[in-house]
Every structure is written in C-alpha cells, then in structure tokens.
Amino acid sequence: MKRSSKLIALSFAALIGLTGCGLSPSTGTVPASAPGSIQPIPDLPETAKATVTSKSFTEQLLLGKITVIALETAGFDVTDLTNVPGSQPARQLLLSGDASALWEYTGTAWLTYLGHEEPVTGEQAQWQAVHDEDVSNNIVWGEPAPLNNTYALAMNRKNADRLGVTKLSQLKKLDKEELTFCVDPEFNSRRDGLTPMLKHYGIDRGKGVSEDNIGLYDVGAIYQATADGACNFGEVFTTDGRIKALDLTVLEDDLDYFPSYNAAPAFNGEFIREFPQAMDVMEQIAPLLTDEALMDMNYQVDVVGREPSDVAFEWMVDQGLVTTP
C-alpha cells in the first residue's frame, strides 16, 4: 500500500532558516497512485523517509511533483517541500540535508553555484563536469534528462515559412532588414547574451544588425510580440508552454552557442548513500523527460490552468510509470 504524502517537522535550526527566507512546505497534495514500472523497493525500511524540494516556477513544480509521486510509489514516506522561492534556497536545502532530492539544471549548477565563467560544450560533458565537481559538496547527480531548458530564438510560423529559416547559422544569409529581434534587457546586455551570440554565428552587431531592429521587452511579453510579428526572432526558453500555445518555431542552435541546461536529479549525499535505490527510481523517469514533454506539461499548467500535481500524475500514468489505484 502506498504511503500518503505528509508534511513532517523540520529541525528547529532549519525551520528558523526557512521561516527567515519565507519558505514553507508545499500545501498541495498529489493524487493517489499505484505501482506501474515503478515498483515498491524490496526490503525498504518502514521508516524510510525522503524530502523532495523544487523551485517555484511551473516546470520545477512539475518535476517536484513527479518525484514525490515516484518516491511514494517506491515506498518512501515523502515530505513535499516543493515550491521554494528561488534557486539558492532550494540548493541550500539540498546541501544541508533538509531536502533529499531536487531536479537541478546543469548550466545553473556550473555557472551559478560552482562559479565557473564559461559553460562546458556538449550536454553530456557539461553534466559530467557538474557531477564530478559537486561530489565535494556532498551532492550526487543522477543521469540527466533529454530536456534542455536553455535559451533559444523562435519565430512565428508565418515568418519562419517566409524566410525558410530553421537554424541559427542561416541568419547571416538573410538581408540585414530581416534581422529584427525581441529580447529582454538582461539577454541584450549579458556577456553570454545577444551580442556574443550574433558574433558566434558570424554577424557583427551594429554593422550586421541595426540597433533600431532590437526591441527590448519584459520576458513574458516577448512570446506574444514574436507571435504578433513585432520582430522576426524572439528570445525564448525551450520548454516554455507558450511556444506551443502561440505556434512558435524554435530555431536549432546548430553551432552550440547556448549553455546546456539539462535537468537531472540531484541528491543529498547522506540520503542517496542510505537509499541508493532512489537513484534507480529516477533513472526510470529521466529518459522520458524531453523538451516536448515538458513543453506540453508547462502548457497544461500555464495556459490551460491545470494543477501541476494533476498534470504530473497524468503524464506518469501515460508513460506507465504509475497506475491509477
């Protein structure tokens, strides 16, 4: 019988830290589930506990709820500590041992937590570098999922068909007047943003792209502006549900400019050494988490308005990971 998810008391010191940061366990529940390809772990102690955390944006909530459901189905008594506001607080919970598991992004860990200035080229190589270095922080990384929530440029369907563009290397062949961009101020100015991206693809900003052709928008407004044709090329994140909702076409980063941000399960070292079977559970899930899968789930939450836990459970049932009781 699957244990129901419950909220357990944190240590006094951790509770003070959480309260000070405005953090508290998720008040949501997850649907009851029964085993599918995820089966109860043989000989798992009745006292086996796990605490799952996540950041507070939609994709992270989905990944967190998937993990809660998976570990409950495997037999753990799970504390749902998803929906933590901010990357650093979620990371700290994992470092301190107040959380057992967190889906993290390789690029975020490498560039933000581990302090490197340049990404490692190649998705697997970037994951390996993070995996190897984070061991010293008592964090163990599981195998990465295919989903890579990184930057991209997208076009509306009409402009993509008109210009015949499918990948970024084709931009330099276009007429200068067609090189119009919708970006947010940070991406416009950051050292790994628009200007070096253009240079990487053989385009000189100023000569090749007029400043008048670069429109600055809030991140959330870029998707609609691109769909409306305010620019030919809009900055997006590759798993955002609005790509599907607005029928945008994402261009292939065929010369590997953007850093890899593959999601992978990261575990507190003490937890995974005590319960290495949890790694096996996550390895059943990770290969199924593609850009398309998360784009669809993000769409269901952000556009349709469904609950992340319901969308996560439905996806797991569709994949045969769990079943309906």
Side-chain angles (χ1 to χ4, degrees):
M1 175 81 60
K2 180 187 74 65
R3 299 184 179 114
S4 61
S5 178
K6 67 177 185 177
L7 305 178
I8 62 174
L10 301 172
S11 67
F12 180 69
L15 184 59
I16 291 175
L18 289 172
T19 303
C21 295
L23 307 183
S24 61
S26 171
T27 57
T29 58
V30 295
S33 60
S37 60
I38 296 174
Q39 291 286 314
I41 296 170
D43 302 320
L44 188 71
E46 286 289 323
T47 56
K49 298 179 184 294
T51 300
V52 175
T53 193
S54 81
K55 305 167 195 179
S56 58
F57 59 90
T58 298
E59 182 167 291
Q60 276 279 299
L61 289 170
L62 288 161
L63 294 173
K65 297 302 184 183
I66 287 169
T67 307
V68 171
I69 294 167
L71 293 182
E72 283 189 343
T73 304
F76 286 92
D77 186 356
V78 180
T79 296
D80 184 345
L81 197 61
T82 56
N83 202 26
V84 170
S87 295
Q88 292 290 356
R91 167 81 170 184
Q92 188 57 44
L93 287 170
L94 198 65
L95 288 168
S96 68
D98 289 309
S100 312
L102 163 71
W103 283 86
E104 188 53 270
Y105 301 94
T106 54
T108 302
W110 186 251
L111 299 169
T112 301
Y113 306 143
L114 300 176
H116 295 279
E117 293 188 358
E118 298 293 335
V120 175
T121 301
E123 294 182 7
Q124 189 64 29
Q126 179 65 92
W127 172 84
Q128 190 68 57
V130 170
H131 170 278
D132 294 349
E133 187 164 329
D134 233 2
V135 169
S136 63
N137 296 316
N138 198 31
I139 291 180
V140 179
W141 284 70
E143 287 293 325
L147 84 90
N148 181 17
N149 190 0
T150 189
Y151 288 107
L153 292 186
M155 309 176 70
N156 69 25
R157 186 73 59 182
K158 179 180 178 181
N159 285 333
D161 292 342
R162 177 175 64 85
L163 296 175
V165 174
T166 61
K167 50 191 177 182
L168 292 178
S169 62
Q170 296 171 320
L171 267 62
K172 66 181 179 182
K173 299 178 182 179
L174 297 177
D175 185 275
K176 179 179 178 180
E177 295 307 311
E178 299 287 2
L179 295 176
T180 58
F181 298 88
C182 298
V183 298
D184 76 286
E186 180 182 353
F187 184 72
N188 182 55
S189 60
R190 60 188 289 163
R191 62 175 180 78
D192 59 348
L194 179 62
T195 301
M197 185 214 74
L198 292 171
K199 181 179 179 181
H200 187 82
Y201 279 97
I203 302 169
D204 181 70
R205 181 169 178 169
K207 293 182 180 179
V209 177
S210 168
E211 292 300 319
D212 292 337
N213 286 353
I214 301 173
L216 301 185
Y217 296 78
D218 290 337
V219 174
I222 291 173
Y223 294 82
Q224 190 64 56
T226 305
D228 291 343
C231 59
N232 286 332
F233 306 98
E235 166 207 350
V236 299
F237 293 98
T238 50
T239 61
D240 196 296
R242 287 169 291 189
I243 293 172
K244 175 180 178 178
L246 297 169
D247 193 28
L248 301 180
T249 298
V250 176
L251 302 184
E252 179 188 353
D253 179 20
D254 53 319
L255 298 183
D256 296 322
Y257 172 73
F258 292 113
S260 298
Y261 284 90
N262 293 86
F267 300 93
N268 174 267
E270 277 79 16
F271 170 80
I272 205 63
R273 282 188 287 273
E274 184 176 3
F275 302 114
Q277 308 96 320
M279 185 77 77
D280 299 331
V281 174
M282 291 299 105
E283 285 180 354
Q284 294 183 61
I285 298 170
L288 305 175
L289 293 169
T290 62
D291 285 357
E292 293 75 17
L294 266 296
M295 189 186 300
D296 183 67
M297 285 191 273
N298 286 330
Y299 170 83
Q300 292 294 325
V301 176
D302 291 333
V303 179
V304 180
R306 300 182 62 201
E307 285 295 322
S309 57
D310 293 335
V311 174
F313 175 71
E314 183 179 281
W315 177 81
M316 294 181 78
V317 171
D318 288 345
Q319 299 299 318
L321 294 163
V322 300
T323 58
T324 302

